[in-house]
PDB file of all heavy atoms in Angstrom:
ATOM      1  N   LEU A   1       8.731  -9.143  13.652  1.00 98.00           N
ATOM      2  CA  LEU A   1       7.801 -10.094  14.245  1.00 98.00           C
ATOM      3  C   LEU A   1       8.405 -11.496  14.337  1.00 98.00           C
ATOM      4  O   LEU A   1       8.186 -12.215  15.313  1.00 98.00           O
ATOM      5  CB  LEU A   1       6.510 -10.128  13.424  1.00 98.00           C
ATOM      6  CG  LEU A   1       5.341 -10.917  14.021  1.00 98.00           C
ATOM      7  CD1 LEU A   1       4.932 -10.334  15.373  1.00 98.00           C
ATOM      8  CD2 LEU A   1       4.152 -10.914  13.063  1.00 98.00           C
ATOM      9  N   ALA A   2       9.191 -11.869  13.326  1.00 98.00           N
ATOM     10  CA  ALA A   2       9.811 -13.204  13.316  1.00 98.00           C
ATOM     11  C   ALA A   2      10.733 -13.397  14.512  1.00 98.00           C
ATOM     12  O   ALA A   2      10.877 -14.520  15.019  1.00 98.00           O
ATOM     13  CB  ALA A   2      10.576 -13.417  12.017  1.00 98.00           C
ATOM     14  N   GLY A   3      11.360 -12.326  14.973  1.00 97.00           N
ATOM     15  CA  GLY A   3      12.261 -12.430  16.111  1.00 97.00           C
ATOM     16  C   GLY A   3      11.623 -12.077  17.438  1.00 97.00           C
ATOM     17  O   GLY A   3      12.309 -12.021  18.465  1.00 97.00           O
ATOM     18  N   PHE A   4      10.312 -11.851  17.420  1.00 98.00           N
ATOM     19  CA  PHE A   4       9.604 -11.446  18.633  1.00 98.00           C
ATOM     20  C   PHE A   4       9.171 -12.678  19.431  1.00 98.00           C
ATOM     21  O   PHE A   4       8.571 -13.612  18.881  1.00 98.00           O
ATOM     22  CB  PHE A   4       8.387 -10.594  18.271  1.00 98.00           C
ATOM     23  CG  PHE A   4       7.677  -9.994  19.440  1.00 98.00           C
ATOM     24  CD1 PHE A   4       8.353  -9.164  20.325  1.00 98.00           C
ATOM     25  CD2 PHE A   4       6.334 -10.248  19.658  1.00 98.00           C
ATOM     26  CE1 PHE A   4       7.697  -8.594  21.414  1.00 98.00           C
ATOM     27  CE2 PHE A   4       5.666  -9.685  20.730  1.00 98.00           C
ATOM     28  CZ  PHE A   4       6.364  -8.853  21.610  1.00 98.00           C
ATOM     29  N   GLU A   5       9.473 -12.681  20.697  1.00 96.00           N
ATOM     30  CA  GLU A   5       9.231 -13.858  21.545  1.00 96.00           C
ATOM     31  C   GLU A   5       7.767 -14.276  21.566  1.00 96.00           C
ATOM     32  O   GLU A   5       7.445 -15.465  21.659  1.00 96.00           O
ATOM     33  CB  GLU A   5       9.716 -13.568  22.970  1.00 96.00           C
ATOM     34  CG  GLU A   5       9.535 -14.719  23.937  1.00 96.00           C
ATOM     35  CD  GLU A   5       9.983 -14.356  25.343  1.00 96.00           C
ATOM     36  OE1 GLU A   5      10.441 -13.209  25.558  1.00 96.00           O
ATOM     37  OE2 GLU A   5       9.882 -15.233  26.228  1.00 96.00           O
ATOM     38  N   HIS A   6       6.863 -13.307  21.480  1.00 97.00           N
ATOM     39  CA  HIS A   6       5.431 -13.594  21.611  1.00 97.00           C
ATOM     40  C   HIS A   6       4.705 -13.470  20.275  1.00 97.00           C
ATOM     41  O   HIS A   6       3.533 -13.100  20.238  1.00 97.00           O
ATOM     42  CB  HIS A   6       4.810 -12.650  22.635  1.00 97.00           C
ATOM     43  CG  HIS A   6       5.466 -12.699  23.987  1.00 97.00           C
ATOM     44  ND1 HIS A   6       5.258 -13.724  24.881  1.00 97.00           N
ATOM     45  CD2 HIS A   6       6.353 -11.849  24.562  1.00 97.00           C
ATOM     46  CE1 HIS A   6       5.968 -13.496  25.984  1.00 97.00           C
ATOM     47  NE2 HIS A   6       6.649 -12.377  25.814  1.00 97.00           N
ATOM     48  N   LYS A   7       5.389 -13.781  19.207  1.00 98.00           N
ATOM     49  CA  LYS A   7       4.795 -13.596  17.868  1.00 98.00           C
ATOM     50  C   LYS A   7       3.506 -14.396  17.673  1.00 98.00           C
ATOM     51  O   LYS A   7       2.630 -13.992  16.898  1.00 98.00           O
ATOM     52  CB  LYS A   7       5.797 -13.953  16.766  1.00 98.00           C
ATOM     53  CG  LYS A   7       6.335 -15.373  16.783  1.00 98.00           C
ATOM     54  CD  LYS A   7       7.308 -15.581  15.624  1.00 98.00           C
ATOM     55  CE  LYS A   7       7.918 -16.984  15.623  1.00 98.00           C
ATOM     56  NZ  LYS A   7       8.822 -17.179  16.791  1.00 98.00           N
ATOM     57  N   ASP A   8       3.372 -15.522  18.378  1.00 97.00           N
ATOM     58  CA  ASP A   8       2.178 -16.341  18.226  1.00 97.00           C
ATOM     59  C   ASP A   8       0.958 -15.722  18.903  1.00 97.00           C
ATOM     60  O   ASP A   8      -0.164 -16.240  18.760  1.00 97.00           O
ATOM     61  CB  ASP A   8       2.411 -17.743  18.796  1.00 97.00           C
ATOM     62  CG  ASP A   8       3.433 -18.534  17.988  1.00 97.00           C
ATOM     63  OD1 ASP A   8       3.610 -18.224  16.801  1.00 97.00           O
ATOM     64  OD2 ASP A   8       4.060 -19.454  18.555  1.00 97.00           O
ATOM     65  N   GLU A   9       1.177 -14.644  19.620  1.00 97.00           N
ATOM     66  CA  GLU A   9       0.066 -13.958  20.288  1.00 97.00           C
ATOM     67  C   GLU A   9      -0.267 -12.634  19.605  1.00 97.00           C
ATOM     68  O   GLU A   9      -0.944 -11.789  20.191  1.00 97.00           O
ATOM     69  CB  GLU A   9       0.404 -13.724  21.758  1.00 97.00           C
ATOM     70  CG  GLU A   9       0.595 -15.006  22.551  1.00 97.00           C
ATOM     71  CD  GLU A   9       0.980 -14.759  23.992  1.00 97.00           C
ATOM     72  OE1 GLU A   9       0.128 -14.269  24.767  1.00 97.00           O
ATOM     73  OE2 GLU A   9       2.146 -15.030  24.353  1.00 97.00           O
ATOM     74  N   ILE A  10       0.193 -12.469  18.371  1.00 98.00           N
ATOM     75  CA  ILE A  10      -0.049 -11.250  17.602  1.00 98.00           C
ATOM     76  C   ILE A  10      -1.003 -11.554  16.459  1.00 98.00           C
ATOM     77  O   ILE A  10      -0.805 -12.497  15.698  1.00 98.00           O
ATOM     78  CB  ILE A  10       1.257 -10.672  17.028  1.00 98.00           C
ATOM     79  CG1 ILE A  10       2.273 -10.411  18.150  1.00 98.00           C
ATOM     80  CG2 ILE A  10       0.982  -9.405  16.235  1.00 98.00           C
ATOM     81  CD1 ILE A  10       1.846  -9.384  19.162  1.00 98.00           C
ATOM     82  N   GLU A  11      -2.049 -10.744  16.340  1.00 98.00           N
ATOM     83  CA  GLU A  11      -2.995 -10.845  15.225  1.00 98.00           C
ATOM     84  C   GLU A  11      -2.813  -9.626  14.321  1.00 98.00           C
ATOM     85  O   GLU A  11      -2.831  -8.491  14.790  1.00 98.00           O
ATOM     86  CB  GLU A  11      -4.437 -10.882  15.742  1.00 98.00           C
ATOM     87  CG  GLU A  11      -5.488 -10.866  14.644  1.00 98.00           C
ATOM     88  CD  GLU A  11      -6.894 -10.693  15.178  1.00 98.00           C
ATOM     89  OE1 GLU A  11      -7.064 -10.633  16.411  1.00 98.00           O
ATOM     90  OE2 GLU A  11      -7.826 -10.589  14.363  1.00 98.00           O
ATOM     91  N   ILE A  12      -2.644  -9.865  13.022  1.00 98.00           N
ATOM     92  CA  ILE A  12      -2.421  -8.784  12.069  1.00 98.00           C
ATOM     93  C   ILE A  12      -3.680  -8.571  11.235  1.00 98.00           C
ATOM     94  O   ILE A  12      -4.244  -9.531  10.701  1.00 98.00           O
ATOM     95  CB  ILE A  12      -1.227  -9.078  11.153  1.00 98.00           C
ATOM     96  CG1 ILE A  12       0.052  -9.198  11.976  1.00 98.00           C
ATOM     97  CG2 ILE A  12      -1.072  -7.996  10.089  1.00 98.00           C
ATOM     98  CD1 ILE A  12       1.250  -9.653  11.182  1.00 98.00           C
ATOM     99  N   GLU A  13      -4.102  -7.338  11.123  1.00 98.00           N
ATOM    100  CA  GLU A  13      -5.240  -6.997  10.267  1.00 98.00           C
ATOM    101  C   GLU A  13      -4.834  -5.890   9.301  1.00 98.00           C
ATOM    102  O   GLU A  13      -4.426  -4.811   9.713  1.00 98.00           O
ATOM    103  CB  GLU A  13      -6.450  -6.537  11.090  1.00 98.00           C
ATOM    104  CG  GLU A  13      -7.644  -6.187  10.217  1.00 98.00           C
ATOM    105  CD  GLU A  13      -8.858  -5.745  11.010  1.00 98.00           C
ATOM    106  OE1 GLU A  13      -8.767  -5.694  12.254  1.00 98.00           O
ATOM    107  OE2 GLU A  13      -9.889  -5.438  10.390  1.00 98.00           O
ATOM    108  N   TRP A  14      -4.946  -6.186   8.004  1.00 98.00           N
ATOM    109  CA  TRP A  14      -4.640  -5.190   6.979  1.00 98.00           C
ATOM    110  C   TRP A  14      -5.864  -4.334   6.708  1.00 98.00           C
ATOM    111  O   TRP A  14      -6.985  -4.835   6.647  1.00 98.00           O
ATOM    112  CB  TRP A  14      -4.193  -5.878   5.698  1.00 98.00           C
ATOM    113  CG  TRP A  14      -2.815  -6.457   5.811  1.00 98.00           C
ATOM    114  CD1 TRP A  14      -2.475  -7.699   6.269  1.00 98.00           C
ATOM    115  CD2 TRP A  14      -1.587  -5.802   5.498  1.00 98.00           C
ATOM    116  NE1 TRP A  14      -1.108  -7.853   6.258  1.00 98.00           N
ATOM    117  CE2 TRP A  14      -0.536  -6.708   5.786  1.00 98.00           C
ATOM    118  CE3 TRP A  14      -1.263  -4.532   4.993  1.00 98.00           C
ATOM    119  CZ2 TRP A  14       0.797  -6.383   5.588  1.00 98.00           C
ATOM    120  CZ3 TRP A  14       0.070  -4.211   4.790  1.00 98.00           C
ATOM    121  CH2 TRP A  14       1.083  -5.128   5.090  1.00 98.00           C
ATOM    122  N   LYS A  15      -5.622  -3.025   6.523  1.00 98.00           N
ATOM    123  CA  LYS A  15      -6.709  -2.081   6.274  1.00 98.00           C
ATOM    124  C   LYS A  15      -6.406  -1.272   5.014  1.00 98.00           C
ATOM    125  O   LYS A  15      -5.251  -1.003   4.688  1.00 98.00           O
ATOM    126  CB  LYS A  15      -6.882  -1.151   7.467  1.00 98.00           C
ATOM    127  CG  LYS A  15      -7.174  -1.875   8.771  1.00 98.00           C
ATOM    128  CD  LYS A  15      -8.400  -1.314   9.436  1.00 98.00           C
ATOM    129  CE  LYS A  15      -8.773  -2.090  10.682  1.00 98.00           C
ATOM    130  NZ  LYS A  15      -9.985  -1.571  11.315  1.00 98.00           N
ATOM    131  N   SER A  16      -7.467  -0.890   4.340  1.00 98.00           N
ATOM    132  CA  SER A  16      -7.332  -0.204   3.053  1.00 98.00           C
ATOM    133  C   SER A  16      -7.039   1.285   3.206  1.00 98.00           C
ATOM    134  O   SER A  16      -7.519   1.938   4.134  1.00 98.00           O
ATOM    135  CB  SER A  16      -8.615  -0.370   2.236  1.00 98.00           C
ATOM    136  OG  SER A  16      -8.913  -1.723   2.015  1.00 98.00           O
ATOM    137  N   PHE A  17      -6.273   1.792   2.258  1.00 98.00           N
ATOM    138  CA  PHE A  17      -5.968   3.216   2.153  1.00 98.00           C
ATOM    139  C   PHE A  17      -5.714   3.492   0.671  1.00 98.00           C
ATOM    140  O   PHE A  17      -5.180   2.630  -0.038  1.00 98.00           O
ATOM    141  CB  PHE A  17      -4.725   3.560   2.976  1.00 98.00           C
ATOM    142  CG  PHE A  17      -4.479   5.041   3.146  1.00 98.00           C
ATOM    143  CD1 PHE A  17      -4.982   5.712   4.245  1.00 98.00           C
ATOM    144  CD2 PHE A  17      -3.738   5.753   2.216  1.00 98.00           C
ATOM    145  CE1 PHE A  17      -4.747   7.071   4.418  1.00 98.00           C
ATOM    146  CE2 PHE A  17      -3.509   7.103   2.374  1.00 98.00           C
ATOM    147  CZ  PHE A  17      -4.011   7.772   3.489  1.00 98.00           C
ATOM    148  N   GLN A  18      -6.115   4.659   0.194  1.00 98.00           N
ATOM    149  CA  GLN A  18      -5.845   5.020  -1.188  1.00 98.00           C
ATOM    150  C   GLN A  18      -5.084   6.334  -1.250  1.00 98.00           C
ATOM    151  O   GLN A  18      -5.552   7.360  -0.752  1.00 98.00           O
ATOM    152  CB  GLN A  18      -7.135   5.134  -1.992  1.00 98.00           C
ATOM    153  CG  GLN A  18      -7.700   3.785  -2.422  1.00 98.00           C
ATOM    154  CD  GLN A  18      -8.650   3.914  -3.590  1.00 98.00           C
ATOM    155  OE1 GLN A  18      -9.753   4.404  -3.433  1.00 98.00           O
ATOM    156  NE2 GLN A  18      -8.203   3.470  -4.761  1.00 98.00           N
ATOM    157  N   LEU A  19      -3.910   6.282  -1.852  1.00 96.00           N
ATOM    158  CA  LEU A  19      -3.101   7.487  -2.004  1.00 96.00           C
ATOM    159  C   LEU A  19      -3.724   8.444  -3.008  1.00 96.00           C
ATOM    160  O   LEU A  19      -3.605   9.662  -2.872  1.00 96.00           O
ATOM    161  CB  LEU A  19      -1.688   7.106  -2.453  1.00 96.00           C
ATOM    162  CG  LEU A  19      -0.877   6.304  -1.439  1.00 96.00           C
ATOM    163  CD1 LEU A  19       0.395   5.770  -2.084  1.00 96.00           C
ATOM    164  CD2 LEU A  19      -0.539   7.157  -0.228  1.00 96.00           C
ATOM    165  N   ASN A  20      -4.375   7.900  -4.025  1.00 96.00           N
ATOM    166  CA  ASN A  20      -5.004   8.722  -5.054  1.00 96.00           C
ATOM    167  C   ASN A  20      -6.327   8.075  -5.470  1.00 96.00           C
ATOM    168  O   ASN A  20      -6.392   7.370  -6.470  1.00 96.00           O
ATOM    169  CB  ASN A  20      -4.073   8.872  -6.262  1.00 96.00           C
ATOM    170  CG  ASN A  20      -4.595   9.861  -7.280  1.00 96.00           C
ATOM    171  OD1 ASN A  20      -5.703  10.375  -7.152  1.00 96.00           O
ATOM    172  ND2 ASN A  20      -3.801  10.155  -8.293  1.00 96.00           N
ATOM    173  N   PRO A  21      -7.398   8.335  -4.714  1.00 96.00           N
ATOM    174  CA  PRO A  21      -8.688   7.705  -5.002  1.00 96.00           C
ATOM    175  C   PRO A  21      -9.236   8.049  -6.393  1.00 96.00           C
ATOM    176  O   PRO A  21     -10.006   7.273  -6.961  1.00 96.00           O
ATOM    177  CB  PRO A  21      -9.608   8.254  -3.908  1.00 96.00           C
ATOM    178  CG  PRO A  21      -8.697   8.734  -2.826  1.00 96.00           C
ATOM    179  CD  PRO A  21      -7.460   9.196  -3.520  1.00 96.00           C
ATOM    180  N   ASP A  22      -8.863   9.208  -6.925  1.00 96.00           N
ATOM    181  CA  ASP A  22      -9.395   9.661  -8.209  1.00 96.00           C
ATOM    182  C   ASP A  22      -8.552   9.212  -9.398  1.00 96.00           C
ATOM    183  O   ASP A  22      -8.841   9.573 -10.541  1.00 96.00           O
ATOM    184  CB  ASP A  22      -9.502  11.195  -8.221  1.00 96.00           C
ATOM    185  CG  ASP A  22     -10.439  11.712  -7.132  1.00 96.00           C
ATOM    186  OD1 ASP A  22     -11.474  11.057  -6.889  1.00 96.00           O
ATOM    187  OD2 ASP A  22     -10.127  12.748  -6.521  1.00 96.00           O
ATOM    188  N   LEU A  23      -7.528   8.437  -9.138  1.00 96.00           N
ATOM    189  CA  LEU A  23      -6.645   7.985 -10.210  1.00 96.00           C
ATOM    190  C   LEU A  23      -7.407   7.163 -11.247  1.00 96.00           C
ATOM    191  O   LEU A  23      -8.166   6.256 -10.907  1.00 96.00           O
ATOM    192  CB  LEU A  23      -5.515   7.136  -9.614  1.00 96.00           C
ATOM    193  CG  LEU A  23      -4.614   6.377 -10.593  1.00 96.00           C
ATOM    194  CD1 LEU A  23      -3.829   7.354 -11.455  1.00 96.00           C
ATOM    195  CD2 LEU A  23      -3.677   5.443  -9.846  1.00 96.00           C
ATOM    196  N   LYS A  24      -7.193   7.480 -12.512  1.00 96.00           N
ATOM    197  CA  LYS A  24      -7.759   6.710 -13.608  1.00 96.00           C
ATOM    198  C   LYS A  24      -6.709   5.714 -14.088  1.00 96.00           C
ATOM    199  O   LYS A  24      -5.585   6.096 -14.420  1.00 96.00           O
ATOM    200  CB  LYS A  24      -8.158   7.627 -14.759  1.00 96.00           C
ATOM    201  CG  LYS A  24      -9.137   8.738 -14.382  1.00 96.00           C
ATOM    202  CD  LYS A  24     -10.467   8.160 -13.912  1.00 96.00           C
ATOM    203  CE  LYS A  24     -11.464   9.298 -13.591  1.00 96.00           C
ATOM    204  NZ  LYS A  24     -12.740   8.777 -13.045  1.00 96.00           N
ATOM    205  N   THR A  25      -7.083   4.451 -14.109  1.00 97.00           N
ATOM    206  CA  THR A  25      -6.166   3.415 -14.584  1.00 97.00           C
ATOM    207  C   THR A  25      -5.757   3.694 -16.027  1.00 97.00           C
ATOM    208  O   THR A  25      -6.601   3.930 -16.884  1.00 97.00           O
ATOM    209  CB  THR A  25      -6.826   2.032 -14.484  1.00 97.00           C
ATOM    210  OG1 THR A  25      -7.129   1.768 -13.108  1.00 97.00           O
ATOM    211  CG2 THR A  25      -5.913   0.943 -15.016  1.00 97.00           C
ATOM    212  N   ASN A  26      -4.437   3.683 -16.261  1.00 95.00           N
ATOM    213  CA  ASN A  26      -3.927   4.000 -17.606  1.00 95.00           C
ATOM    214  C   ASN A  26      -2.673   3.171 -17.882  1.00 95.00           C
ATOM    215  O   ASN A  26      -1.568   3.571 -17.521  1.00 95.00           O
ATOM    216  CB  ASN A  26      -3.615   5.492 -17.717  1.00 95.00           C
ATOM    217  CG  ASN A  26      -3.205   5.900 -19.113  1.00 95.00           C
ATOM    218  OD1 ASN A  26      -3.053   5.061 -20.000  1.00 95.00           O
ATOM    219  ND2 ASN A  26      -3.025   7.193 -19.332  1.00 95.00           N
ATOM    220  N   PRO A  27      -2.824   2.024 -18.533  1.00 94.00           N
ATOM    221  CA  PRO A  27      -1.670   1.159 -18.828  1.00 94.00           C
ATOM    222  C   PRO A  27      -0.679   1.788 -19.796  1.00 94.00           C
ATOM    223  O   PRO A  27       0.432   1.274 -19.954  1.00 94.00           O
ATOM    224  CB  PRO A  27      -2.317  -0.092 -19.455  1.00 94.00           C
ATOM    225  CG  PRO A  27      -3.748  -0.048 -19.029  1.00 94.00           C
ATOM    226  CD  PRO A  27      -4.093   1.403 -18.945  1.00 94.00           C
ATOM    227  N   ASP A  28      -1.068   2.893 -20.444  1.00 94.00           N
ATOM    228  CA  ASP A  28      -0.212   3.490 -21.475  1.00 94.00           C
ATOM    229  C   ASP A  28       0.764   4.534 -20.936  1.00 94.00           C
ATOM    230  O   ASP A  28       1.640   4.997 -21.666  1.00 94.00           O
ATOM    231  CB  ASP A  28      -1.070   4.136 -22.569  1.00 94.00           C
ATOM    232  CG  ASP A  28      -1.952   3.125 -23.289  1.00 94.00           C
ATOM    233  OD1 ASP A  28      -1.479   1.990 -23.493  1.00 94.00           O
ATOM    234  OD2 ASP A  28      -3.110   3.469 -23.614  1.00 94.00           O
ATOM    235  N   ILE A  29       0.603   4.918 -19.669  1.00 93.00           N
ATOM    236  CA  ILE A  29       1.467   5.957 -19.120  1.00 93.00           C
ATOM    237  C   ILE A  29       2.590   5.331 -18.306  1.00 93.00           C
ATOM    238  O   ILE A  29       2.390   4.343 -17.592  1.00 93.00           O
ATOM    239  CB  ILE A  29       0.665   6.960 -18.250  1.00 93.00           C
ATOM    240  CG1 ILE A  29       1.533   8.154 -17.842  1.00 93.00           C
ATOM    241  CG2 ILE A  29       0.088   6.277 -17.031  1.00 93.00           C
ATOM    242  CD1 ILE A  29       0.766   9.246 -17.140  1.00 93.00           C
ATOM    243  N   ASN A  30       3.781   5.904 -18.410  1.00 92.00           N
ATOM    244  CA  ASN A  30       4.935   5.443 -17.649  1.00 92.00           C
ATOM    245  C   ASN A  30       4.810   5.893 -16.199  1.00 92.00           C
ATOM    246  O   ASN A  30       4.365   7.004 -15.913  1.00 92.00           O
ATOM    247  CB  ASN A  30       6.214   6.003 -18.293  1.00 92.00           C
ATOM    248  CG  ASN A  30       7.462   5.589 -17.554  1.00 92.00           C
ATOM    249  OD1 ASN A  30       7.849   6.219 -16.577  1.00 92.00           O
ATOM    250  ND2 ASN A  30       8.095   4.534 -18.034  1.00 92.00           N
ATOM    251  N   ILE A  31       5.220   5.033 -15.255  1.00 95.00           N
ATOM    252  CA  ILE A  31       5.086   5.356 -13.838  1.00 95.00           C
ATOM    253  C   ILE A  31       5.885   6.591 -13.456  1.00 95.00           C
ATOM    254  O   ILE A  31       5.466   7.377 -12.601  1.00 95.00           O
ATOM    255  CB  ILE A  31       5.500   4.148 -12.952  1.00 95.00           C
ATOM    256  CG1 ILE A  31       5.104   4.377 -11.487  1.00 95.00           C
ATOM    257  CG2 ILE A  31       6.988   3.855 -13.080  1.00 95.00           C
ATOM    258  CD1 ILE A  31       3.628   4.347 -11.235  1.00 95.00           C
ATOM    259  N   ASN A  32       7.018   6.804 -14.124  1.00 95.00           N
ATOM    260  CA  ASN A  32       7.809   8.007 -13.844  1.00 95.00           C
ATOM    261  C   ASN A  32       7.067   9.257 -14.308  1.00 95.00           C
ATOM    262  O   ASN A  32       7.103  10.293 -13.630  1.00 95.00           O
ATOM    263  CB  ASN A  32       9.173   7.915 -14.523  1.00 95.00           C
ATOM    264  CG  ASN A  32      10.042   6.827 -13.942  1.00 95.00           C
ATOM    265  OD1 ASN A  32       9.979   6.529 -12.755  1.00 95.00           O
ATOM    266  ND2 ASN A  32      10.870   6.202 -14.778  1.00 95.00           N
ATOM    267  N   GLN A  33       6.405   9.149 -15.438  1.00 95.00           N
ATOM    268  CA  GLN A  33       5.636  10.287 -15.940  1.00 95.00           C
ATOM    269  C   GLN A  33       4.466  10.589 -15.011  1.00 95.00           C
ATOM    270  O   GLN A  33       4.168  11.749 -14.718  1.00 95.00           O
ATOM    271  CB  GLN A  33       5.114   9.995 -17.352  1.00 95.00           C
ATOM    272  CG  GLN A  33       4.360  11.159 -17.994  1.00 95.00           C
ATOM    273  CD  GLN A  33       5.258  12.358 -18.229  1.00 95.00           C
ATOM    274  OE1 GLN A  33       6.247  12.262 -18.959  1.00 95.00           O
ATOM    275  NE2 GLN A  33       4.927  13.492 -17.612  1.00 95.00           N
ATOM    276  N   TYR A  34       3.812   9.538 -14.544  1.00 94.00           N
ATOM    277  CA  TYR A  34       2.688   9.711 -13.613  1.00 94.00           C
ATOM    278  C   TYR A  34       3.148  10.415 -12.346  1.00 94.00           C
ATOM    279  O   TYR A  34       2.516  11.379 -11.886  1.00 94.00           O
ATOM    280  CB  TYR A  34       2.081   8.353 -13.269  1.00 94.00           C
ATOM    281  CG  TYR A  34       1.220   8.363 -12.025  1.00 94.00           C
ATOM    282  CD1 TYR A  34      -0.041   8.951 -12.032  1.00 94.00           C
ATOM    283  CD2 TYR A  34       1.686   7.801 -10.827  1.00 94.00           C
ATOM    284  CE1 TYR A  34      -0.820   8.979 -10.886  1.00 94.00           C
ATOM    285  CE2 TYR A  34       0.906   7.820  -9.682  1.00 94.00           C
ATOM    286  CZ  TYR A  34      -0.345   8.409  -9.716  1.00 94.00           C
ATOM    287  OH  TYR A  34      -1.109   8.449  -8.575  1.00 94.00           O
ATOM    288  N   LEU A  35       4.255   9.961 -11.775  1.00 94.00           N
ATOM    289  CA  LEU A  35       4.767  10.565 -10.549  1.00 94.00           C
ATOM    290  C   LEU A  35       5.152  12.021 -10.776  1.00 94.00           C
ATOM    291  O   LEU A  35       4.866  12.894  -9.948  1.00 94.00           O
ATOM    292  CB  LEU A  35       5.974   9.772 -10.043  1.00 94.00           C
ATOM    293  CG  LEU A  35       6.567  10.194  -8.701  1.00 94.00           C
ATOM    294  CD1 LEU A  35       5.548  10.071  -7.591  1.00 94.00           C
ATOM    295  CD2 LEU A  35       7.808   9.355  -8.374  1.00 94.00           C
ATOM    296  N   ALA A  36       5.784  12.288 -11.915  1.00 95.00           N
ATOM    297  CA  ALA A  36       6.177  13.665 -12.248  1.00 95.00           C
ATOM    298  C   ALA A  36       4.953  14.563 -12.381  1.00 95.00           C
ATOM    299  O   ALA A  36       4.945  15.714 -11.912  1.00 95.00           O
ATOM    300  CB  ALA A  36       6.993  13.675 -13.537  1.00 95.00           C
ATOM    301  N   ASP A  37       3.915  14.047 -12.998  1.00 93.00           N
ATOM    302  CA  ASP A  37       2.701  14.845 -13.224  1.00 93.00           C
ATOM    303  C   ASP A  37       2.010  15.203 -11.909  1.00 93.00           C
ATOM    304  O   ASP A  37       1.562  16.341 -11.728  1.00 93.00           O
ATOM    305  CB  ASP A  37       1.725  14.077 -14.119  1.00 93.00           C
ATOM    306  CG  ASP A  37       2.200  13.987 -15.562  1.00 93.00           C
ATOM    307  OD1 ASP A  37       3.110  14.756 -15.938  1.00 93.00           O
ATOM    308  OD2 ASP A  37       1.658  13.141 -16.307  1.00 93.00           O
ATOM    309  N   ILE A  38       1.898  14.240 -10.986  1.00 91.00           N
ATOM    310  CA  ILE A  38       1.155  14.524  -9.752  1.00 91.00           C
ATOM    311  C   ILE A  38       1.995  15.290  -8.732  1.00 91.00           C
ATOM    312  O   ILE A  38       1.439  15.981  -7.873  1.00 91.00           O
ATOM    313  CB  ILE A  38       0.601  13.234  -9.118  1.00 91.00           C
ATOM    314  CG1 ILE A  38       1.736  12.312  -8.651  1.00 91.00           C
ATOM    315  CG2 ILE A  38      -0.336  12.513 -10.063  1.00 91.00           C
ATOM    316  CD1 ILE A  38       1.248  11.150  -7.794  1.00 91.00           C
TER     317      ILE A  38
END
């Protein structure tokens, strides 16, 4: 976008998505272990 001639005419809208909606937050688990488990 930075190198695009018409960048000032572009509107960006971010939208939500969840890879794992049922995920339970767990600060005690390692991210590698989490990935391995799922």
Side-chain angles (χ1 to χ4, degrees):
L1 189 60
F4 187 58
E5 181 182 0
H6 304 284
K7 59 179 178 292
D8 293 336
E9 297 178 70
I10 304 297
E11 175 189 357
I12 298 173
E13 180 179 1
W14 287 88
K15 302 232 176 181
S16 302
F17 191 92
Q18 281 200 288
L19 294 170
N20 188 355
D22 299 322
L23 170 65
K24 303 297 182 184
T25 299
N26 185 355
D28 298 323
I29 188 173
N30 179 276
I31 191 69
N32 293 327
Q33 183 65 60
Y34 162 73
L35 185 60
D37 289 344
I38 65 169

